[in-house]
Amino acid sequence: YYLYLMSESNALFQLIQALDAGEKRYFSLSVSKYAKTENNSLLLFDAIRSMKKYDEKLLRSKLKNHRILKNLAVEKHLLFERIISGLTAYHATASDSGKLRQLVDEAKLLYSKAIPEACYKKIKTAKAAALKHEELNFLIELIGLERNLVNDGFLKVSLDTLYREEAWAVEALHEKQALFLLSHALHALWKTKL
């Protein structure tokens, strides 16, 4: 497959232009709350956002009185990464899997801070959500975390029970993958018949 690779500047421009109004507002607010003086990311973001087409000369003229020009390439790279990070945070709880990922991360954090009761509570909540939404990868990850609590002596559950639960989840995941592959093959066959 051939993939057209655009310049990082064009990718940044396209990313900024692709943001909806809520995403732009979220990014601007989240970046501005950390700035004590001139905020290079926000300055660059606003300059690029106002463009109809990416133009490096126009960008440099808009920023001519700012220190940002000394490291413009670095600042563009940092802005791109901050936008991606901000979008990830903005959309983290928009989907069931995003909410589940957050629960799993919270449980891991509580485990790492040796707060087993709160960790186990998060695990139970997350396992119920993982089962409800058939998010088997998360379920397997949570069972591993639960097993750590047992091994550390914080939880009194049979390891055999956890191993059986994990084996069931792994088998269900294999079945789900097999169905996906079959569906993909049927779709490809159907497309060749058109």
Side-chain angles (χ1 to χ4, degrees):
Y1 293 102
Y2 174 75
L3 179 65
Y4 169 72
L5 297 176
M6 65 180 75
S7 73
E8 192 168 13
S9 296
N10 279 335
L12 175 60
F13 173 76
Q14 287 187 346
L15 178 61
I16 291 172
Q17 297 304 315
L19 299 176
D20 65 34
E23 292 167 336
K24 287 176 184 175
R25 181 173 167 18
Y26 178 84
F27 177 77
S28 295
L29 289 173
S30 65
V31 168
S32 64
K33 71 181 173 184
Y34 296 110
K36 299 212 184 321
T37 58
E38 183 180 278
N39 187 326
N40 288 347
S41 290
L42 197 53
L43 184 68
L44 185 56
F45 179 79
D46 289 338
I48 294 173
R49 181 173 63 170
S50 68
M51 294 180 170
K52 299 289 183 227
K53 180 181 167 209
Y54 185 77
D55 182 340
E56 184 80 17
K57 288 180 185 175
L58 177 61
L59 180 62
R60 287 182 175 279
S61 73
K62 286 182 176 197
L63 302 171
K64 68 181 173 193
N65 296 324
H66 300 280
R67 294 173 300 164
I68 193 173
L69 279 178
K70 292 178 187 170
N71 297 312
L72 188 58
V74 171
E75 293 292 343
K76 286 191 282 188
H77 176 76
L78 288 172
L79 177 58
F80 187 88
E81 294 302 320
R82 286 183 179 134
I83 293 171
I84 294 294
S85 181
L87 281 174
T88 302
Y90 182 75
H91 291 285
T93 57
S95 68
D96 291 330
S97 63
K99 292 174 189 172
L100 194 49
R101 173 81 273 156
Q102 185 172 351
L103 282 171
V104 171
D105 289 345
E106 289 169 0
K108 285 180 171 181
L109 176 70
L110 290 165
Y111 177 78
S112 73
K113 297 296 181 186
I115 308 172
E117 296 84 8
C119 174
Y120 185 59
K121 190 173 180 180
K122 287 284 183 191
I123 289 171
K124 288 193 318 187
T125 303
K127 279 177 76 173
L131 284 167
K132 177 182 177 185
H133 300 292
E134 297 182 20
E135 293 282 0
L136 301 168
N137 288 327
F138 288 122
L139 184 60
I140 293 166
E141 191 173 352
L142 289 161
I143 293 167
L145 191 54
E146 202 171 10
R147 192 172 41 246
N148 290 346
L149 288 174
V150 171
N151 289 334
D152 293 345
F154 293 123
L155 185 61
K156 304 290 185 234
V157 174
S158 164
L159 283 175
D160 287 341
T161 302
L162 293 176
Y163 286 126
R164 280 194 303 278
E165 194 176 344
E166 187 175 38
W168 173 85
V170 168
E171 180 60 32
L173 186 61
H174 285 287
E175 289 173 9
K176 189 175 180 180
Q177 183 181 23
L179 287 172
F180 172 77
L181 291 173
L182 179 61
S183 170
H184 182 71
L186 288 172
H187 181 70
L189 182 62
W190 178 75
K191 281 181 77 175
T192 60
K193 298 287 182 182
L194 293 179

